[in-house]
Amino acid sequence: MRNNQPVYDKEYTLHDEQYLISRTDARGRIIYANPAFVEVSGFTREELVGAAHNIVRHPDMPEDAFADLWRTIQRGESWTGVVKNRRKDGGYYWVLANVTPIIERGVTSVMRRCVSNPLKNKLTRPMRCMRGCATAPRVACACIAAKRGPPG
């Protein structure tokens, strides 16, 4: 799993009108990033398009969350979960991510839509859980790994 460094304890807060949208090919390489995703990530569009989506993976995120995401997508199902992403400058941002497989003309790609507003007051438990991941067994991180289906 990619370990993006350096990281800093500097949170970037998304604005209410920022909805991050990205699309990847079946291998996880970015083929589209909307202007909000480019802005929030801190990378340029040129740095993002063609790169693996894990370019924004924060090292605090448990590997199990992404393993579950890919298993779910490969079954043709949507995945929803709380994700902590890393910005290019080493800061971070939280999103509620909805990841959906798209099949067009027999080719699978993946659409990611992220919003932060529903999470503004609900991130205390996931952050506490993730902090414990460094010293606790991986199974302790299951509380933030993922939930399937639409946000609700």
Side-chain angles (χ1 to χ4, degrees), residues 86-147:
R86 179 189 172 277
R87 291 176 38 88
K88 182 179 180 178
D89 66 6
Y92 66 93
Y93 58 99
W94 288 98
V95 294
L96 177 61
N98 177 265
V99 184
T100 304
I102 299 170
I103 302 171
E104 296 174 318
R105 290 178 244 129
V107 177
T108 301
S109 62
V110 178
M111 179 72 76
R112 291 172 170 83
R113 291 178 298 269
C114 302
V115 297
S116 67
N117 297 343
L119 304 174
K120 282 185 179 174
N121 299 315
K122 297 179 182 180
L123 286 175
T124 304
R125 183 170 176 237
M127 290 187 328
R128 239 190 349 259
C129 180
M130 285 180 65
R131 286 189 193 113
C133 288
T135 56
R138 283 204 189 281
V139 74
C141 298
C143 66
I144 61 151
K147 73 174 187 178

Side-chain angles (χ1 to χ4, degrees), residues 10-11 22 25 33-34 36 39 43 48 50 58 64 73 79-80 90 98-99 107-108 117 121 141:
K10 180 180 164 189
E11 182 173 5
S22 61
D25 62 19
N34 77 338
E39 177 185 339
F43 291 93
L48 291 169
H58 195 285
D64 293 343
I73 293 301
W79 181 93
T80 300
N98 177 265
V99 184
V107 177
T108 301
N117 297 343
N121 299 315
C141 298

Side-chain angles (χ1 to χ4, degrees), residues 17-31:
E17 70 278 358
Q18 287 179 305
Y19 291 90
L20 313 186
I21 300 173
S22 61
R23 190 168 179 175
T24 65
D25 62 19
R27 295 184 346 232
R29 300 246 171 238
I30 298 170
I31 57 177

